[in-house]
Amino acid sequence: MPMRLPVAWKIAASAALLAWLTSIAGCAPTPAGPVPYKDVTAERIVKQGYTQPEAGKIAVDVRRERSGDVVIRFRDALVYVDGEQVTDLMNGERVVFYLVPGMHRIAVSTQFDPIVEIEFMVTEKYTNHASITFNQDHRIQLRRVPR
């Protein structure tokens, strides 16, 4: 025959268990904060003139989103502006282009992918950010993103 405990003991045991669980939950590691993007190095800029700030030009920030996927993590993403290759981006890197206002073409590719190009209106009215990602089939993608 099972032993019956008074209700007060059950409540006390439940409270003690809850207190213990709360105390060990406070010891759980907290996730690391977001890591800032690294700027692409000057040595990897293959076409000069796009990455220097000048009067009358607007900054366009292109970021290669971080991925833990080993298949795509070590691929470099070739980045083109108006049909000219300017640089390549590795996992978690960014480049800032300075472009005159108006319509431009920004494109990306890898050694395995065809060129993916978007028309990009550069203006002070819009947020000028683009994001490079890879889909589930490990194909490169490029899209304008709000920031």
Side-chain angles (χ1 to χ4, degrees):
M1 180 177 242
M3 186 170 108
R4 297 188 145 227
L5 295 175
V7 173
W9 286 15
K10 290 179 182 177
I11 292 172
S14 296
L17 178 61
L18 182 61
W20 179 75
L21 288 174
T22 303
S23 71
I24 66 166
C27 297
T30 57
V35 179
Y37 289 91
K38 292 187 325 184
D39 290 326
V40 69
T41 61
E43 297 82 36
R44 294 206 345 255
I45 304 294
V46 295
K47 182 69 176 176
Q48 300 302 317
Y50 289 100
T51 57
Q52 291 82 28
E54 291 181 29
K57 292 190 175 181
I58 298 171
V60 176
D61 190 348
V62 179
R63 297 175 178 199
R64 164 93 183 263
E65 303 300 332
R66 293 186 194 292
S67 173
D69 188 330
V70 177
V71 174
I72 59 172
R73 186 176 190 166
F74 299 105
R75 281 193 206 168
D76 59 337
L78 306 175
V79 183
Y80 303 83
V81 175
D82 295 329
E84 297 186 76
Q85 182 184 347
V86 179
T87 191
D88 67 308
L89 294 178
M90 297 301 290
N91 199 36
E93 288 185 327
R94 71 185 275 246
V95 64
V96 177
F97 299 123
Y98 294 91
L99 305 174
V100 296
M103 188 64 74
H104 292 273
R105 295 180 344 263
I106 297 179
V108 294
S109 182
T110 70
Q111 63 197 33
F112 305 105
D113 296 302
I115 292 176
V116 175
E117 183 177 86
I118 62 172
E119 289 190 349
F120 201 96
M121 175 57 79
V122 176
T123 177
E124 291 182 7
K125 292 183 180 183
Y126 299 119
T127 306
N128 295 306
H129 294 274
S131 175
I132 301 169
T133 58
F134 289 82
N135 67 16
Q136 292 176 332
D137 295 329
H138 303 120
R139 296 294 180 201
I140 198 164
Q141 298 178 312
L142 175 66
R143 65 185 176 91
R144 183 180 203 133
V145 293
R147 290 269 180 212

